[in-house]
Amino acid sequence: MASTHLPGAPASGWRTFLALWGSQSVSQVGSFVSWFALNVYVAQTLYPHPDQKAPLALALGAFAIAATLLAVVLAPIAGSVADRTHRKRVMLVCDVLSGVLTLGMAALMFAAVVPFWLLLAFVIATQSLSLFHEAALESSYAMIVPEEQLTRANGMMQTTRQFSGLIAPTIATLLIGVPTLLHGSGWLASLRDGVPFALLVDGVSFLLAALVLGLLAIPSPPPAEDHGGAAANLKADTRLGWTYLLRRPPLLYLLIGSAVVNFATAAIPVYQTLITTFTLQADRAARGLSFPATLAIIDTMTGLGMFLGGLTISTWGGLKRRRVLGILIPTLVSGAGLVLMGLSGDVYLTAAAFTLTVFVMPISQAHSAGIWQAQVPRELQGRVFAVRRMVARFTVPLGMAFVSGVSTTLPPGPVIAVLGVLVMIVGTLQLLNPTVQRVDDKAYVDGLAAARGGD
């Protein structure tokens, strides 16, 4: 598992990152707008009638399941490609193909009603491209960003994601309403709604991101060793990713902790609905708040908390020493927030608990990504990060299924509180674990690997 010595980030690396971040941020906003519009299209165009609730639920569930399963199944392949192909080329191809596919789908929607099977194929194709793009992008940070700025860079990307989630529904709603706003004359009169306009914006945003990317100098490490064919390469690459982690307990323990947190927090959108329905029923009735109004308060505060957390880590830049504390302390805070939201019967205290729980998530995720990018050799990041991505994301559907299943027989509040206690226990154990505390010490981590027969 020998690694090649690579030069540090170029002097102009931070400027390159800012250009990359700006263009990819525009594309990400477009993708959130498109995703929101597709859900509207399914609900209002394909299954608009009250007696179509079952197919509507299945269709929306199919979108979510497809995205989740792809993230797990394609992670090893995407990681292998990121280490075997010039990473800029991977991102460029993904952006262009995504743009062409999205513009093509917009054109189809302008001309006719698109059946669900074709929409699902479109989602699978674009989500697959997104995963390959993500693998190449995440493993490119350390190639262009100075190590002391990695946490900030990851925080900025986190902020973009949260900001996109906040503004996308508004932008999508405006675009969907274009035919009505323009009083539908001529060809506009034939449109059911403006969903195609949302996809048009997304498609253009992909091509804009590709245009900017094409102008940037993003170095890539030498390609990984060839093992004699795609199947042999994938097998060797997956084995390398797992072996790398198993020989480095600090990184492995960090990954296990992240998986537990993901398991407990993955169902936050489900928590919002369950708690509003059951736990807060008496308080919202006493305050004269309807179910939609209460859910809107909690949802808004949750989105705001995520955005402010991302903005905080982007502005602050994170810890420069003992960055592991930037993961573990937020983990304890998230656990406490879960306990509070599970036990609280007050609408506004519950909303504050949601805000607190999600506020620290971008801070933790940015520190975690910065540590991984600094520790893992740049030429191995695609393959090692693939394993990291698989483990972390596999727990997301498990967590959602667990909460949904258990809450059919038990009150949701205590279930959520118990998950919060679990998160706090894991965070405390890692905080007291001297091995985890030295995860920032590259010489120590590599020494452990050498003692286990690796390098």
Side-chain angles (χ1 to χ4, degrees):
M1 201 185 299
S3 62
T4 307
H5 176 72
L6 298 172
S12 61
W14 185 248
R15 291 195 299 273
T16 299
F17 171 77
L18 290 177
L20 181 64
W21 169 73
S23 60
Q24 294 298 324
S25 294
V26 172
S27 177
Q28 191 162 83
V29 171
S31 296
F32 271 79
V33 168
S34 178
W35 184 262
F36 183 90
L38 282 177
N39 282 279
V40 170
Y41 190 84
V42 171
Q44 293 189 348
T45 301
L46 297 185
Y47 307 109
H49 304 298
D51 60 350
Q52 293 180 312
K53 287 182 179 180
L56 173 60
L58 289 173
L60 296 177
F63 280 172
I65 292 170
T68 302
L69 289 179
L70 284 170
V72 176
V73 173
L74 291 183
I77 304 173
S80 180
V81 169
D83 280 350
R84 294 184 175 279
T85 311
H86 197 288
R87 290 165 182 169
K88 174 181 172 179
R89 188 179 306 129
V90 174
M91 290 187 283
L92 200 55
V93 168
C94 290
D95 277 337
V96 171
L97 288 180
S98 296
V100 171
L101 284 173
T102 305
L103 291 175
M105 181 56 68
L108 283 175
M109 285 183 174
F110 277 127
V113 174
V114 179
F116 176 73
W117 69 265
L118 188 55
L119 284 182
L120 183 59
F122 169 75
V123 167
I124 290 173
T126 52
Q127 285 293 307
S128 298
L129 290 168
S130 175
L131 290 167
F132 281 88
H133 185 284
E134 180 187 8
L137 177 63
E138 189 179 11
S139 53
S140 292
Y141 291 0
M143 300 297 300
I144 57 175
V145 177
E147 182 174 335
E148 64 273 13
Q149 295 280 22
L150 283 173
T151 301
R152 185 189 301 276
N154 285 283
M156 291 169 66
M157 285 294 186
Q158 289 287 334
T159 305
T160 292
R161 184 172 182 81
Q162 309 315 327
F163 181 68
S164 299
L166 281 175
I167 68 171
T170 301
I171 297 174
T173 301
L174 291 173
L175 291 169
I176 291 169
V178 164
T180 303
L181 291 173
L182 298 181
H183 306 294
S185 59
W187 67 275
L188 284 174
S190 65
L191 294 178
R192 296 173 181 269
D193 53 44
V195 169
F197 290 109
L199 270 68
L200 189 64
V201 167
D202 187 23
V204 171
S205 74
F206 275 121
L207 298 183
L208 176 63
L211 177 63
V212 174
L213 181 61
L215 301 174
L216 298 177
I218 300 179
S220 193
E225 176 188 358
D226 183 66
H227 294 275
N233 285 339
L234 179 60
K235 182 178 180 181
D237 291 346
T238 303
R239 187 190 312 116
L240 181 146
W242 280 106
T243 302
Y244 186 92
L245 288 179
L246 293 173
R247 288 174 174 170
R248 290 161 175 82
L251 289 174
L252 182 62
Y253 296 156
L254 208 60
L255 179 57
I256 293 172
S258 296
V260 172
V261 173
N262 286 346
F263 178 84
T265 59
I268 278 182
V270 179
Y271 296 166
Q272 293 173 332
T273 304
L274 290 175
I275 287 177
T276 302
T277 303
F278 300 106
T279 310
L280 299 179
Q281 184 176 17
D283 190 57
R284 60 184 170 85
R287 296 177 184 274
L289 292 170
S290 66
F291 173 84
T294 306
L295 186 60
I297 291 170
I298 291 175
D299 184 59
T300 300
M301 292 302 293
T302 303
L304 184 62
M306 289 284 279
F307 172 67
L308 291 177
L311 190 61
T312 298
I313 188 61
S314 300
T315 306
W316 167 33
L319 296 170
K320 299 300 184 286
R321 296 175 60 254
R322 298 196 69 191
R323 285 178 294 182
V324 69
L325 295 179
I327 303 171
L328 301 183
I329 292 177
T331 295
L332 295 176
V333 174
S334 280
L338 287 171
V339 172
L340 181 59
M341 76 170 68
L343 299 181
S344 169
D346 181 273
V347 169
Y348 296 107
L349 183 59
T350 302
F354 273 99
T355 306
L356 178 67
T357 301
V358 301
F359 172 80
V360 294
M361 287 182 181
I363 297 173
S364 175
Q365 291 164 1
H367 279 96
S368 178
I371 288 174
W372 283 86
Q373 288 159 353
Q375 283 287 358
V376 180
R378 286 168 282 178
E379 68 274 18
L380 303 180
Q381 288 189 4
R383 289 164 284 180
V384 175
F385 288 2
V387 175
R388 174 184 174 229
R389 214 172 282 118
M390 280 179 60
V391 174
R393 292 182 180 176
F394 182 69
T395 55
V396 171
L398 290 181
M400 296 187 75
F402 172 79
V403 171
S404 299
V406 172
S407 295
T408 60
T409 55
L410 297 175
V415 173
I416 296 169
V418 169
L419 288 174
V421 171
L422 173 64
V423 170
M424 293 181 71
I425 290 173
V426 171
T428 301
L429 290 175
Q430 293 203 328
L431 198 59
L432 299 175
N433 187 332
T435 300
V436 175
Q437 290 299 306
R438 297 189 66 179
V439 70
D440 252 333
D441 186 344
K442 186 168 178 57
Y444 170 72
V445 174
D446 288 344
L448 291 177
R452 286 164 171 76
D455 54 15

